[in-house]
Amino acid sequence: MAGARAAAAASADSSTSSGNPPPQEPGLGELLEEFSRTQYRAKDCSGTGGSKVERIEKRCLELFGRDYCYSVIQNVNGDICSHYPQHIVFLEYESSEKEKDTFESTVQVSKLQDLVNRSKTARCRGRFVCPVILFKGKHICRSATLAGWGELYGRTGYNYIFSGGTDDAWADTEDVTEEDCALRSSDSHLFDKVRGYDIKLLRYLSVKYICDLMVENKKVKFGMNVTSSEKVDKAQRYADFTLLSIPYPGCEFFKEYKDRDYMAEGLIFNWKQDYVDAPLSIPDFLTCSLNIDWSQYQSWDLVQQTQNYLKLLLSIINSDDDSGLLVHCISGWDRTPLFISLLRLSLWADGLIHTSLKPAEILYLTVAYDWFLFGHMLVDRLSKGEEIFFFCFNFLKHIISEEFSALKTQRRKSLPARDAGFTLEDICMLRRKDRGSTTSLGSDFSLVMESSPGAAGSFTYEAVELVPAGAQTQAAWLAALSERETRLQEVRSAFLAAYSSTVGLRAAAPSPSGAIGGLLEQFARGVGLRGTGSSTL
């Protein structure tokens, strides 16, 4: 790990502040082109493709450095993990004058490096617990699930047998290291040793909450357990952590999303499949304030399920304690980046993290860092129509409201008592009812809404005048809420414009009848008319 810290620049240069990046900077289009051609592998970063990846990694470091002081865990040639970034960012504290003294990391980077090296074999593919977001001094982390006997005892052989490219597949062969061999020589203490280091790393990062997105208790291949999870650790080594089992469909399910013309409403996962054996399990003290009937989770469609899980994660990280959060699925490169990306964008839209980044910049950062550099297999997913990556950014339209805001607690406390006339809730309900459907990107109304935040049916600052006299606090609250919506819609529109002009049009071919064959080509006729300038960094 490099001990040197990268301090945020005092001010952006003229080209950045004007929104026109230097010509040599990789734009979002180039990033998506590279992403759709190859899966990122840290050990393959050489040649022409390597120079592109180097520019992408450099740009990510620059964007992190705008608002944070950070250290770098060096992963050159994938020495620690082949599908983690070559330069893994460890955010230490916010570097703005306003916040730099508020929270400061107590983690020593040399100690963190040692724990990472020791714990990496504990999890599938060596994808160790990695902090990726810093919020209120808490680390939000990602990883794969716990490794089982299959991986620990024969990673190379199992990678060959189980290769296939799905979320739970063993798609790449990794060399068995001397450390792996040493672990095998002490069979009786194997799990105690490697999981013990994993637990030490979690504690060092002050992680208390572990959210497991697997729909299985253990991943089974050919009748053998190849991965496990904290919730079924027989020795209960993770008993001191707050474990949440929040089963969420794997990437294969998103083939159905594409086949339904990218409509997530009404799309319900089949929970009766034989391999699905992990029930939803959340401690009561985490659910009492959310007003969600969790017993109905198997009846939720994809929109409801994603919304409710995101509310839960936001509630956990926005609590008053100082504990961090780990989110993982099986391999940690499909469902995991989906929720990490949504968390990053939601907190950014509230002005709570990455405060200096513009919509195009936060979009670039999350696509590049949370998805590409952490090994999402976009090439494979596109070939199979499993468009979980596209779903993530199209889904932003479903989290624009106040109920997803991490600021809502403070806002509600400041609201005056109910009085005559329209209340905050009345206005929000009226707004949703009168604005029409915006759930489908193919909708003409939806396209108009995105192209003009001030269009008819869209809530603007002028609408604050509807608030009755004496409710200035409500007016300020609504103005801030409108800003959250605008920011998320700008990110979504920028993504869709860039995606449709690079990846999307190749994936959505016209039908034999000559009709438009998918959502993305509809978008090219609509939002695409605005061009891709807003998505270029």
Side-chain angles (χ1 to χ4, degrees):
M1 177 184 297
R5 296 178 177 177
S11 61
D13 59 31
S14 58
S15 61
T16 303
S17 62
S18 66
N20 298 318
Q24 69 273 19
E25 289 283 335
L28 183 61
E30 181 186 28
L31 168 61
L32 289 174
E33 288 281 3
E34 180 68 17
F35 196 5
S36 65
R37 281 196 295 260
T38 182
Q39 183 188 20
Y40 172 83
R41 295 171 64 92
K43 63 184 179 181
D44 294 338
C45 294
S46 60
T48 304
S51 63
K52 292 181 181 179
V53 172
E54 288 176 2
R55 291 200 301 271
I56 292 170
E57 290 188 309
K58 180 180 178 182
R59 180 59 170 158
C60 287
L61 295 178
E62 291 173 352
L63 293 174
F64 276 119
R66 293 274 192 87
D67 299 289
Y68 298 94
C69 287
Y70 63 82
S71 294
V72 173
I73 303 173
Q74 292 292 356
N75 183 37
V76 178
N77 298 320
D79 293 337
I80 304 175
C81 180
S82 63
H83 285 146
Y84 272 10
Q86 285 198 104
H87 309 288
I88 301 171
V89 174
F90 173 67
L91 301 177
E92 298 191 50
Y93 55 91
E94 291 183 87
S95 57
S96 66
E97 289 298 322
K98 179 180 179 182
E99 300 290 347
K100 67 179 181 180
D101 296 325
T102 304
F103 300 110
E104 185 166 348
S105 173
T106 59
V107 171
Q108 298 177 7
V109 290
S110 59
K111 176 68 171 179
L112 180 62
Q113 173 76 62
D114 180 63
L115 287 173
V116 164
N117 286 328
R118 292 175 180 272
S119 67
K120 63 182 180 180
T121 53
R123 293 189 175 266
C124 176
R125 303 177 185 276
R127 295 173 68 91
F128 58 88
V129 175
C130 185
V132 288
I133 299 174
L134 183 65
F135 173 59
K136 295 169 65 173
K138 308 174 188 180
H139 292 293
I140 301 172
C141 306
R142 62 181 294 170
S143 73
T145 192
L146 296 178
W149 288 101
E151 184 168 9
L152 288 177
Y153 276 92
R155 182 175 298 164
T156 301
Y158 276 89
N159 284 338
Y160 176 78
I161 294 172
F162 302 128
S163 61
T166 58
D167 178 57
D168 51 51
W170 304 71
D172 39 71
T173 300
E174 298 176 4
D175 295 332
V176 179
T177 64
E178 292 181 3
E179 184 177 6
D180 292 329
C181 296
L183 288 171
R184 296 180 190 178
S185 66
S186 55
D187 295 354
S188 61
H189 302 292
L190 179 63
F191 283 164
D192 281 339
K193 184 173 183 178
V194 297
R195 293 187 181 176
Y197 283 128
D198 182 66
I199 289 170
K200 286 182 179 179
L201 176 58
L202 286 165
R203 288 175 174 164
Y204 197 63
L205 293 170
S206 299
V207 171
K208 175 182 178 181
Y209 303 98
I210 300 176
C211 294
D212 182 353
L213 295 162
M214 295 170 60
V215 298
E216 312 94 332
N217 287 320
K218 296 183 177 182
K219 188 62 189 178
V220 178
K221 286 280 189 178
F222 304 114
M224 302 174 65
N225 294 329
V226 293
T227 72
S228 184
S229 63
E230 300 88 353
K231 59 181 179 283
V232 291
D233 180 64
K234 292 181 179 179
Q236 296 187 332
R237 300 174 184 85
Y238 294 85
D240 291 338
F241 297 88
T242 301
L243 305 180
L244 298 88
S245 175
I246 50 174
Y248 190 84
C251 61
E252 301 91 344
F253 184 62
F254 289 83
K255 173 66 163 58
E256 297 185 40
Y257 167 66
K258 180 184 179 183
D259 290 346
R260 296 178 82 249
D261 288 330
Y262 301 86
M263 290 291 293
E265 296 87 343
L267 180 56
I268 301 175
F269 181 67
N270 179 11
W271 297 96
K272 299 186 182 300
Q273 298 174 83
D274 292 341
Y275 71 95
V276 179
D277 60 358
L280 184 140
S281 177
I282 308 171
D284 290 340
F285 75 93
L286 292 175
T287 64
C288 57
S289 63
L290 292 176
N291 194 28
I292 296 172
D293 185 357
W294 295 96
S295 67
Q296 299 299 310
Y297 77 98
Q298 293 188 352
S299 67
W300 295 339
D301 64 16
L302 186 57
V303 172
Q304 292 172 298
Q305 188 176 27
T306 310
Q307 286 177 325
N308 289 339
Y309 284 9
L310 182 60
K311 289 178 185 177
L312 174 66
L313 297 177
L314 288 167
S315 175
I316 291 172
I317 63 176
N318 203 32
S319 60
D320 293 332
D321 66 23
D322 297 325
S323 302
L325 166 72
L326 169 65
V327 179
H328 76 76
C329 50
I330 296 178
S331 291
W333 56 28
D334 284 302
R335 289 167 283 187
T336 298
L338 166 65
F339 282 98
I340 290 296
S341 192
L342 290 176
L343 282 171
R344 192 184 300 278
L345 290 169
S346 183
L347 293 172
W348 166 83
D350 285 333
L352 297 173
I353 63 173
H354 301 292
T355 54
S356 72
L357 298 191
K358 300 174 182 178
E361 293 170 332
I362 191 67
L363 172 60
Y364 186 98
L365 179 64
T366 190
V367 170
Y369 197 75
D370 296 329
W371 290 90
F372 176 62
L373 294 176
F374 272 88
H376 177 66
M377 300 174 68
L378 184 61
V379 181
D380 178 82
R381 303 304 183 250
L382 289 174
S383 70
K384 298 176 180 177
E386 298 168 350
E387 298 223 35
I388 187 171
F389 173 65
F390 177 84
F391 170 81
C392 175
F393 296 94
N394 192 37
F395 185 76
L396 293 178
K397 63 187 176 183
H398 295 295
I399 62 170
I400 59 177
S401 66
E402 171 268 345
E403 59 189 322
F404 299 97
S405 173
L407 294 172
K408 62 182 180 180
T409 302
Q410 293 88 332
R411 287 168 175 167
R412 284 175 175 169
K413 286 180 180 179
S414 66
L415 290 178
R418 295 178 65 93
D419 54 7
F422 286 104
T423 64
L424 169 64
E425 291 78 10
D426 295 332
I427 294 173
C428 290
M429 289 299 295
L430 180 63
R431 173 185 169 208
R432 285 196 293 268
K433 181 179 68 175
D434 289 351
R435 68 182 294 171
S437 174
T438 59
T439 57
S440 171
L441 183 61
S443 163
D444 292 337
F445 185 83
S446 177
L447 298 178
V448 170
M449 290 290 294
E450 292 163 9
S451 64
S452 177
S458 176
F459 184 78
T460 64
Y461 291 101
E462 287 75 17
V464 173
E465 297 176 2
L466 293 174
V467 182
Q472 292 86 354
T473 306
Q474 286 186 344
W477 184 91
L478 287 168
L481 178 58
S482 179
E483 182 179 358
R484 172 186 169 86
E485 175 179 355
T486 299
R487 285 158 69 89
L488 288 176
Q489 291 286 28
E490 287 179 357
V491 171
R492 177 173 173 258
S493 294
F495 172 82
L496 293 172
Y499 193 89
S500 66
S501 64
T502 54
V503 181
L505 293 183
R506 295 198 298 271
S511 66
S513 65
I516 295 300
L519 173 75
L520 298 173
E521 289 196 348
Q522 293 179 31
F523 179 75
R525 294 184 304 153
V527 176
L529 296 176
R530 297 202 304 270
T532 59
S534 62
S535 65
T536 303
L537 286 175

